[in-house]
Amino acid sequence: MTDAEERGDARRGRAGRQVVVTGYGAVTPLGHSADETWTAMLAGRSGIDTVDAFDLTDLGVRIGGQVRGFTPDRYMPPMVSRRADPYAQFALTAALEACEHAGLVVDDRLAPRVAVIIGSGYGPVGSIYRAANILRDKGPRAIVPSTQVTTAMDSAAGEISLRIGTQGPSRAQSTACASGADAVGAGMRMISHGEADIVLAGGADACVTAVDLAGSGNARALSRRNDDPAAACRPFDARRDGFVMSEGAAVVVLEAAEVADRRGATALAELIGYGATSDAHHWTAPHPEGRGACRAVEAALRDAGITGADVDYVNAHGTGTLLNDAIETAVLRKVLGDRVTRIPVSSTKSMTGHMIGAAGAVELVASIQALRTGDVPPTVNCDEPIDPDINFVPHRTQRHERIRIALSNSFGFGGHNAALVVRAV
């Protein structure tokens, strides 16, 4: 047993039960499943293109990461697909895949101890905008009664609970771009403290809309490389000019290790650390010294019972904005020390774009896949790294023989910061 593993065992003895990941699912601009998404990541394929879902007239930003070719009726009954906002459709699809992957069937015995936590930065914005337009154009009698359900932030968690039959807590989590990671962290705490045995946790967003492109574009947060969408998201590259708005979802099945053992489920990774903080600085800009982000990473490592010297891979927040990438690089240098120059650090947002509330959950899945396979997905478009001493895994997947512990960062508007630590099993 390594020193890091011994410290982790000591931490679990203090904090509660061991938490393992037994399944996951994803819907992203790269594919309609976790496997499709992972295969595309390893190939360095971009899911970013010119948006074709609505009129782009007068929009300064015309690119995004859409989930293309998604047919909800393949995954849910028509009565559900008709009422559910796309973000809830993506979340439900990812949850169903995660349960299948985990071999999880929620029966009457399990149901009271199974919870659902779904994070989202924007929630069902498509349904909200649509309802507002119907009210304006057709009047109040045209608003269907289910609008109260479909325009609620908890609608994704509700659809999952109804479909799968969970009877434990079911709730929404909203902390901007940290929402998916915070939902997973909250699920970990729930199991560790004995409030649930199994938690379906993750994030979802479907905010590639005219309103959201206009708003984030006017805030000068988005890349304007409309003429070259695949090259638009450039994390840690000197020529980066903003993030790319995207959509998608990911859900993981978290279980108490002893419950997974009783079910005969395979543990894919162990979730060993979670930390969250707030900057209390600015609505859209990170703290200039990265104080909140630094404390979140330090808290996650401390929770895991490890130090920065134990980390073998970082899936960075890496949005491609001027401030985020520079500050995150400084945070990693501070927390990991010299270790950061000896391990791979990559941003899969370079291929998916920024899926907002879904990002942290999708990136956790990628981190677990890296632990399981030794393949580290690349940071595409990183032609001129802002820190030449750090291995940002430019352009192509790299093979690393020993990746035991991975750190996944998520930092969001409003100063929300979250970090997750996972370990190979």
Side-chain angles (χ1 to χ4, degrees):
M1 179 179 291
T2 67
D3 290 344
E5 289 169 334
E6 288 178 356
R7 289 193 295 271
D9 286 343
R11 179 198 64 83
R12 285 194 300 278
R14 294 191 306 270
R17 299 188 294 176
Q18 180 184 10
V19 179
V20 296
V21 179
T22 58
Y24 37 73
V27 177
T28 75
L30 297 177
H32 299 168
S33 70
D35 282 347
E36 288 181 6
T37 297
W38 179 244
T39 298
M41 284 181 177
L42 295 186
R45 180 166 64 83
S46 175
I48 298 165
D49 208 338
T50 302
V51 173
D52 62 6
F54 48 84
D55 184 6
L56 299 173
T57 302
D58 297 330
L59 283 176
V61 175
R62 299 188 294 278
I63 57 175
Q66 294 175 270
V67 175
R68 298 176 184 269
F70 180 78
T71 306
D73 289 347
R74 290 182 56 193
Y75 309 100
M76 61 200 73
M79 66 176 295
V80 175
S81 63
R82 282 196 297 267
R83 74 176 177 233
D85 185 85
Y87 107 103
Q89 295 175 3
F90 298 157
L92 177 55
T93 300
L96 292 171
E97 182 191 359
C99 287
E100 182 179 2
H101 190 202
L104 176 63
V105 177
V106 178
D107 56 22
D108 291 341
R109 179 182 58 84
L110 283 177
R113 299 288 296 170
V114 182
V116 179
I117 308 177
I118 300 299
S120 183
Y122 292 85
V125 289
S127 294
I128 293 170
Y129 301 155
R130 188 160 49 251
N133 289 337
I134 290 172
L135 181 64
R136 180 198 60 205
D137 296 339
K138 298 182 179 181
R141 292 181 63 84
I143 299 294
V144 299
S146 62
T147 299
Q148 290 301 99
V149 173
T150 58
T151 58
M153 180 67 80
D154 66 342
S155 58
E159 293 290 3
I160 292 170
S161 179
L162 284 168
R163 176 67 180 275
I164 296 173
T166 69
Q167 296 175 16
S170 174
R171 61 186 60 153
Q173 169 82 44
S174 188
T175 48
C177 312
S179 298
D182 276 329
V184 173
M188 173 188 174
R189 293 278 189 269
M190 191 175 286
I191 293 172
S192 180
H193 295 162
E195 299 172 29
D197 293 334
I198 301 172
V199 181
L200 306 181
D205 259 310
C207 48
V208 182
T209 69
V211 170
D212 295 298
L213 287 184
S216 293
N218 290 344
R220 299 187 181 279
L222 300 180
S223 171
R224 291 178 176 264
R225 293 176 184 268
N226 294 316
D227 58 340
D228 193 1
C233 193
R234 312 182 67 82
F236 305 112
D237 182 73
R239 293 185 296 139
R240 65 198 185 280
D241 71 329
F243 77 87
V244 174
M245 188 75 78
S246 296
E247 60 188 7
V251 174
V252 297
V253 177
L254 305 177
E255 300 193 48
E258 70 272 16
V259 174
D261 287 343
R262 285 199 300 269
R263 288 203 312 110
T266 299
L268 306 174
E270 181 186 1
L271 185 58
I272 61 173
Y274 165 58
T277 64
S278 295
D279 283 352
H281 169 69
H282 191 273
W283 260 111
T284 58
H287 189 280
E289 297 175 12
R291 290 179 185 172
C294 189
R295 288 191 300 110
V297 175
E298 289 172 339
L301 297 177
R302 187 166 56 248
D303 188 44
I306 65 172
T307 71
D310 299 310
V311 175
D312 301 311
Y313 167 56
V314 178
N315 189 296
H317 185 56
T319 59
T321 62
L322 292 175
L323 289 177
N324 174 85
D325 291 5
I327 291 170
E328 185 173 15
T329 299
V331 166
L332 292 175
R333 275 194 167 274
K334 180 179 179 181
V335 177
L336 303 186
D338 291 342
R339 182 68 171 171
V340 76
T341 63
R342 295 184 278 121
I343 62 172
V345 176
S346 69
S347 172
T348 48
K349 286 186 181 72
S350 61
M351 297 170 282
T352 64
H354 195 343
M355 293 173 284
I356 313 298
V362 172
E363 290 155 16
L364 176 64
V365 172
S367 298
I368 294 171
Q369 286 287 70
L371 294 178
R372 297 181 68 203
T373 66
D375 293 322
V376 175
T379 307
V380 302
N381 303 320
C382 190
D383 298 329
E384 189 179 342
I386 59 175
D387 189 330
D389 294 329
I390 294 178
N391 174 15
F392 289 116
V393 196
H395 309 307
R396 294 179 180 82
T397 293
Q398 294 177 3
R399 179 76 178 173
H400 290 261
E401 292 302 324
R402 180 174 171 80
I403 300 179
R404 293 286 301 164
I405 294 176
L407 167 69
S408 181
N409 291 335
S410 297
F411 310 136
F413 282 177
H416 301 288
N417 307 294
L420 297 168
V421 182
V422 284
R423 183 167 65 193
V425 293

